[in-house]
Amino acid sequence: MGLYDAYLGVRHRLHEGEPPEHVAIVITERDLLADGAFDTLAAALGWAFDYGAERVTVSVSVLDEAVVPSLVRELRDLDAPRRMSVRGPDDTESVDAPIRMNVGLGGKAEFAAAVRDIATDVDAGELRPEEIDEAAVTDRLVFPTEPDLVIKTGAERLSDFAIWQSVYAELYFTDVNWRDFRRRDYLRAVLDFQDRQRRFGR
């Protein structure tokens, strides 16, 4: 596989398309609890910055809320190539960092919280209904930055990730399980992104 990885790397360097500046990686709780999954994540973060990303968002969807504290602790100890912000569903502080991770905070819950904040501001007379626009919602999201590329391993679904922010993102699904995700798989996602003509809803 070494020659094939090298081929992909050469093709990437020669490609005329721009790489994604903001990459989002969607991982399930089950993915992250597999042996070696945290090492794979640390490596994937490095690949993202090696191949042109300026920001990476990692979303971990969770079915068993009891595992959230341990996952958050493990992620905060991750050997990452850039400064990170890691938060669980009950954290309120939002830190802007090149790598932002959320554990157990689904897109539906995030959007509902933004709507509640808007309703509160309207009720307090701080915002008029006719002033509510896309920016009013975006400004109240935990992760307001829109990803260029969303990578999901194992299944073709977003697992409740960033419903609002991902509306114009390029989605890349691979049947490779997270524990088997390698540099060549990341490169395939970047090359696929570069080959697409982005329309942003037009």
Side-chain angles (χ1 to χ4, degrees):
M1 287 296 183
L3 288 176
Y4 184 60
D5 290 347
Y7 161 74
L8 283 173
V10 169
R11 183 183 170 212
H12 173 74
R13 289 194 295 272
L14 296 177
H15 207 298
E16 294 180 357
E18 290 295 324
E21 292 184 5
H22 181 187
V23 176
I25 301 173
V26 182
I27 308 174
T28 66
E29 160 200 337
R30 183 177 178 182
D31 289 337
L32 203 51
L33 292 175
D35 288 343
F38 287 99
D39 292 336
T40 299
L41 179 56
L45 294 173
W47 303 331
F49 290 106
D50 286 346
Y51 292 101
E54 297 181 2
R55 177 184 295 272
V56 179
T57 296
V58 177
S59 175
V60 182
S61 62
V62 172
L63 294 177
D64 182 4
E65 294 184 2
V67 304
V68 170
S70 61
L71 290 177
V72 168
R73 284 195 301 271
E74 290 286 346
L75 288 170
R76 286 176 176 162
D77 289 337
L78 197 70
D79 184 17
R82 300 285 192 280
R83 187 168 60 91
M84 297 189 305
S85 168
V86 182
R87 56 177 293 155
D90 297 325
D91 293 332
T92 57
E93 183 180 2
S94 181
V95 178
D96 190 23
I99 302 172
R100 301 181 70 173
M101 301 187 182
N102 77 83
V103 181
L105 176 65
K108 288 183 178 180
E110 182 188 27
F111 184 74
V115 172
R116 285 195 300 271
D117 286 347
I118 289 174
T120 299
D121 290 345
V122 170
D123 188 57
E126 299 174 1
L127 182 67
R128 293 181 297 174
E130 59 270 23
E131 294 175 331
I132 300 173
D133 56 13
E134 292 181 10
V137 176
T138 300
D139 291 344
R140 290 167 173 79
L141 296 173
V142 175
F143 297 99
T145 309
E146 298 179 1
D148 299 305
L149 171 65
V150 178
I151 299 174
K152 175 67 170 63
T153 62
E156 292 189 8
R157 56 177 179 269
L158 285 180
S159 300
D160 196 22
F161 167 73
I163 295 169
W164 179 275
Q165 302 93 316
S166 297
V167 65
Y168 296 135
E170 298 299 321
L171 309 180
Y172 182 84
F173 298 103
T174 173
D175 57 4
V176 175
N177 290 323
W178 179 251
R179 64 184 177 185
D180 300 319
F181 194 73
R182 298 293 182 265
R183 179 189 292 267
R184 59 179 172 268
D185 301 305
Y186 182 82
L187 280 173
R188 286 192 187 105
V190 172
L191 290 167
D192 182 82
F193 173 88
Q194 290 180 311
D195 286 336
R196 299 186 188 187
Q197 181 179 0
R198 302 192 70 190
R199 298 184 181 277
F200 299 95
R202 294 188 293 272

